[in-house]
Amino acid sequence: MTAGWRWREAPINMLERRRPFSPRVSARGRAVIRTSEGFPMLRLPIAPLTKAAFAPFGEVVEADGALVKAINQGFATRCDGLSGVDIGAEGGVVNISLFVAQPRPQPIRVEIMERHPLGTQLFYPLQDRPWLVLVCADPKDASTYRAFAASGRQGVNYAHNCWHHPLLVLDPDSRFFIVDRGGAGHNLDEVWLDAGEQLELAP
Amino acid sequence: MTAGWRWREAPINMLERRRPFSPRVSARGRAVIRTSEGFPMLRLPIAPLTKAAFAPFGEVVEADGALVKAINQGFATRCDGLSGVDIGAEGGVVNISLFVAQPRPQPIRVEIMERHPLGTQLFYPLQDRPWLVLVCADPKDASTYRAFAASGRQGVNYAHNCWHHPLLVLDPDSRFFIVDRGGAGHNLDEVWLDAGEQLELAP
């Protein structure tokens, strides 16, 4: 990421801020309010993952729409430069990881969000199966949350300081390849949400 | 890669150098000599890909044998630091790519080898299917070639200047995630082999 975190410039405030549970939200067809365990609960709609919609949060890593070059004597094609990797702050180095994730109970309750101040974090799926991406500008403001359905051929690279939910998968033992930052320094913020602040996702 | 290219220290000269096609090679059971199109032809054996065997050429990227950490409130596990990425020479940056590769006709004729002087190059498969890795210390010396069968859960990160063959896959439309070097500078050497220098692989 060279552009960095720029949510303030992007049109993500389509829900009225500071009134996340107001009837107006429902009237716009963007979300459904329901009651769960005595709390008002926002059920967040899930949109297809596109570069444009995800731009405020980072990059979509995909071959679709990229320049395709023939290489390897005609036995392969290559799409280059699909994402920036910016991990050098405070002496950071590239960290290559493999994750294995399990589905959460549905409907998925959003209880925690996290961000990485010192580096981008890239996830790419290792099976051709859909998965979910949940991000927000402010964990305490339900109107700023966005949920996306990613295909099994779409990864994401979260920008520095982009609030995101831990991996959300739909199939057991979902594997991912990760490119993020290794090294010393404070590179993780977590926010736990009170019951009244939580949202639900229903894939 | 912090260790860099160190084949001189590793026990890879198990075939006698400078006599790649001699009867002694065959007598050791390490290769089969046969005649093809009038040239003596070395048919290279294929060994399982292991960290130890591949160490002279780079790193094997796999979760097997790595430290597993529970993360994401118990809904995921993570294996960190699976490979070094060393691409900074001469102002290089991390380049994220996706490749799609096609199988070559079998038996696979080895006609070209390549290397990258300025950066490591990491390949990880995006389908859980075996593929092949072919490397050598000297493209003109058949005795220095090593062929490996990688599983669909094993990637490789070629060291700087490690001679390797372009992607060798066994299934059509085999997809890979690549982490290598972008930026200016001379980062590709290719060697085409004369007919008499070529080897064959028979998966």
Side-chain angles (χ1 to χ4, degrees), chain B residues 5-66:
Chain B
W5 174 248
R6 54 178 191 277
W7 67 271
R8 288 182 184 281
E9 304 161 19
I12 60 171
N13 289 323
M14 297 176 67
L15 300 185
E16 184 173 352
R17 294 177 65 109
R18 304 300 168 201
R19 292 188 186 173
F21 305 124
S22 78
R24 291 184 55 196
V25 175
S26 179
R28 290 182 187 183
R30 297 275 304 170
V32 176
I33 295 171
R34 67 188 203 93
T35 301
S36 172
E37 298 171 13
F39 294 104
M41 181 71 68
L42 186 69
R43 180 164 284 193
L44 199 66
I46 300 174
L49 181 64
T50 65
K51 287 183 168 63
F54 194 70
F57 308 104
E59 295 178 271
V60 178
V61 183
E62 62 182 339
D64 270 11

Side-chain angles (χ1 to χ4, degrees), chain A residues 54-65:
Chain A
F54 194 70
F57 308 104
E59 295 178 89
V60 178
V61 183
E62 62 183 338
D64 270 10

Side-chain angles (χ1 to χ4, degrees), chain A residues 34-41 107 109 195 200:
Chain A
R34 68 189 201 94
T35 301
S36 173
E37 298 169 13
F39 294 104
M41 181 70 69
R109 178 75 65 89
E200 276 186 0

Side-chain angles (χ1 to χ4, degrees), chain A residues 61-63 71-73 75-83 85 94-105 112 114 121-122 124-128 152-153 165-167 175 177-180 190 192, chain B residues 61-63 71-73 75-83 85 94-105 112 114 121-122 124-128 152-153 165-167 175 177-180 190 192:
Chain A
V61 183
E62 62 183 338
I71 58 168
N72 291 4
Q73 303 80 52
F75 287 100
T77 58
R78 167 176 194 148
C79 296
D80 273 326
L82 297 181
S83 180
V85 173
V94 177
N95 178 46
I96 300 293
S97 308
L98 292 168
F99 286 23
V100 182
Q102 307 301 331
R104 299 187 182 228
I112 187 173
E114 63 181 54
Q121 187 177 42
L122 187 157
Y124 198 90
L126 297 176
Q127 52 285 308
D128 195 356
R153 298 186 178 204
H165 195 276
L167 266 178
R175 300 182 304 118
F177 187 95
I178 287 86
V179 182
D180 64 2
E190 288 180 337
W192 285 89
Chain B
V61 183
E62 62 182 339
I71 59 168
N72 292 4
Q73 303 80 52
F75 287 100
T77 57
R78 168 176 193 148
C79 297
D80 273 327
L82 297 181
S83 181
V85 173
V94 177
N95 178 45
I96 300 293
S97 308
L98 292 169
F99 285 23
V100 182
Q102 308 300 333
R104 297 185 184 230
I112 187 173
E114 62 181 55
Q121 187 177 41
L122 188 157
Y124 198 90
L126 297 175
Q127 52 284 308
D128 195 355
R153 298 187 177 203
H165 195 275
L167 267 177
R175 297 183 306 117
F177 187 96
I178 287 85
V179 182
D180 63 2
E190 287 180 337
W192 286 89

Side-chain angles (χ1 to χ4, degrees), chain A residues 19-21 33-34 36-43 109-111 139-143 145 192-200:
Chain A
R19 291 186 187 175
F21 306 125
I33 294 170
R34 68 189 201 94
S36 173
E37 298 169 13
F39 294 104
M41 181 70 69
L42 186 67
R43 179 164 285 194
R109 178 75 65 89
V110 180
E111 297 174 321
K140 296 292 190 179
D141 183 347
S143 73
Y145 281 73
W192 285 89
L193 302 176
D194 298 332
E197 300 168 329
Q198 294 170 7
L199 299 82
E200 276 186 0

